[in-house]
Amino acid sequence: MPSVDKHYSQSLQLDEILKRLNEAYPDGPNVYQLAPIDQLHIGGIKASEKLAKRLSEFKASKVLDIGSGLGGLLRVCSQQHQAIYVSLDITHELSCINQQLNKLSKTNCPSMVVTGNGQQLPFPDQSFDLIIMQHSLLNMPDKRAVLNECKRILSPDGHLILHEVLTGKNSDEMLFPVPWASTSDLSHLISSAEIRALISSVSMKIQSMQDWSAEALSWRARQTSKQQTLHAPVVTPGMILGSDFALMGKNVQSNLENRAIEIVEVVIS
Ligand SMILES: C[S@@+](CC[C@H](N)C(=O)[O-])C[C@H]1O[C@@H](n2cnc3c(N)ncnc32)[C@H](O)[C@@H]1O
């Protein structure tokens, strides 16, 4: 069985990515120019901009992104809201690119990048007032450990926000590969009933749960038609996820259409 970090690092073209970005954007790329590689979730940069609004609503001052990938979410957040930002990811190679992209894009908020495991967080109790997980719980088998760890490191009035993929009502129709897993071994999706039960079992509370599936499907359909009609952008998702990326995108679209998956935003306190 492939490990999660191998899944995300085996096709990475780090040197080529940096070369192309430096050539095309001598003054540093902006968040939209980075989006094809650093927004590795369904919904793209628009979804990250919606999440960034939450940070301002909650007046967050110390923010942790667990499973940050290349760090696109926090670069978007740092443009909208001043805070201390920490990215954590289990795939060291992605944390390294994240750091390089922070330097290139000259982000103006204090930001730190850590390689670590969301199921065993390397932070003291009550060290953040906001935690976000964007399409990363889906790779973690021990979700109870993740939630307990989030509860431990959140301040008493802090919030956890999930932007995640759940199983839909036709989960037996799920097609692979998808961007987070080549086969079912690495995909750890649960249903909305299961996530509700889990959250309550660790004595946390759901403040709101919104279904973002319809928006996600329109976004995915737009990506498919862009891939067919436009010139390739300077950097492409295939430079992170490899030559299967087109098939992964197609499968995400079918999985959403067939209700094998659904996309939610959950705000938890
Ligand atoms: C689908 S990617 C999403 C990346 C990023 N959140 C985004 O939306 O662009 C899932 C990320 O979760 C990370 N991940 C998976 N399991 C993890 C774990 N146990 N602890 C920390 N990160 C993990 C992977 O390395 C990968 O970067």
Side-chain angles (χ1 to χ4, degrees):
M1 180 174 100
S3 61
V4 74
D5 57 335
K6 186 151 183 235
H7 171 75
Y8 289 107
S9 61
Q10 64 193 357
S11 304
L12 269 183
Q13 298 178 34
L14 174 58
D15 293 342
E16 183 63 18
I17 289 171
L18 294 176
K19 180 172 154 275
R20 288 198 195 180
L21 288 173
N22 279 315
E23 279 170 11
Y25 312 116
D27 297 330
N30 65 34
V31 289
Y32 297 99
Q33 290 158 341
L34 289 177
I37 53 166
D38 74 359
Q39 304 285 333
L40 290 178
H41 48 267
I42 306 165
I45 196 164
K46 287 261 176 301
S48 295
E49 286 172 337
K50 273 173 78 174
L51 294 171
K53 288 209 177 103
R54 293 275 189 207
L55 270 64
S56 309
E57 276 167 39
F58 291 134
K59 302 187 172 53
S61 61
K62 285 190 185 164
V63 179
L64 172 67
D65 178 8
I66 301 178
S68 46
L70 278 74
L73 171 64
L74 293 192
R75 277 185 290 278
V76 169
C77 290
S78 70
Q79 291 204 325
Q80 295 194 15
H81 179 81
Q82 194 71 30
I84 296 170
Y85 289 104
V86 180
S87 299
L88 175 135
D89 201 283
I90 203 164
T91 308
H92 184 62
E93 290 83 347
L94 295 188
S95 294
C96 294
I97 306 193
N98 184 357
Q99 252 166 341
Q100 307 249 25
L101 296 183
N102 277 344
K103 270 192 216 144
L104 275 188
S105 61
K106 306 181 183 88
T107 164
N108 57 359
C109 280
S111 56
M112 193 169 110
V113 181
V114 177
T115 297
N117 189 342
Q119 297 159 139
Q120 207 175 0
L121 292 167
F123 304 109
D125 296 357
Q126 300 187 16
S127 30
F128 293 91
D129 54 5
L130 199 132
I131 302 176
I132 313 189
M133 298 184 75
Q134 187 175 37
H135 288 45
S136 58
L137 197 60
L138 47 63
N139 277 137
M140 300 185 199
D142 192 350
K143 299 190 197 315
R144 182 180 300 278
V146 179
L147 291 177
N148 274 322
E149 280 293 80
C150 288
K151 194 175 165 198
R152 178 181 69 74
I153 66 162
L154 269 178
S155 56
D157 56 352
H159 292 87
L160 166 64
I161 302 177
L162 306 179
H163 173 216
E164 284 294 333
V165 183
L166 300 179
T167 53
K169 63 178 187 175
N170 299 323
S171 56
D172 51 337
E173 292 185 27
M174 179 84 181
L175 298 176
F176 290 95
V178 286
W180 63 93
S182 301
T183 61
S184 59
D185 301 331
L186 286 183
S187 181
H188 299 287
L189 305 186
I190 56 174
S191 67
S192 66
E194 285 168 320
I195 192 109
R196 282 178 188 280
L198 200 58
I199 290 165
S200 114
S201 77
V202 298
S203 306
M204 294 181 95
K205 271 202 199 109
I206 295 186
Q207 300 286 328
S208 66
M209 185 154 174
Q210 291 180 10
D211 187 343
W212 286 9
S213 306
E215 253 171 288
L217 179 55
S218 322
W219 173 85
R220 188 51 254 172
R222 280 199 306 278
Q223 300 312 300
T224 306
S225 62
K226 268 192 209 165
Q227 278 161 7
Q228 285 159 356
T229 54
L230 290 182
H231 294 301
V234 170
V235 283
T236 64
M239 298 172 82
I240 309 293
L241 289 167
S243 55
D244 264 358
F245 184 75
L247 178 58
M248 290 171 172
K250 198 166 156 255
N251 286 342
V252 163
Q253 187 165 337
S254 303
N255 289 332
L256 281 165
E257 282 164 354
N258 300 338
R259 300 252 180 119
I261 57 172
E262 54 188 53
I263 312 297
V264 292
E265 186 220 38
V266 193
V267 178
I268 301 161
S269 57

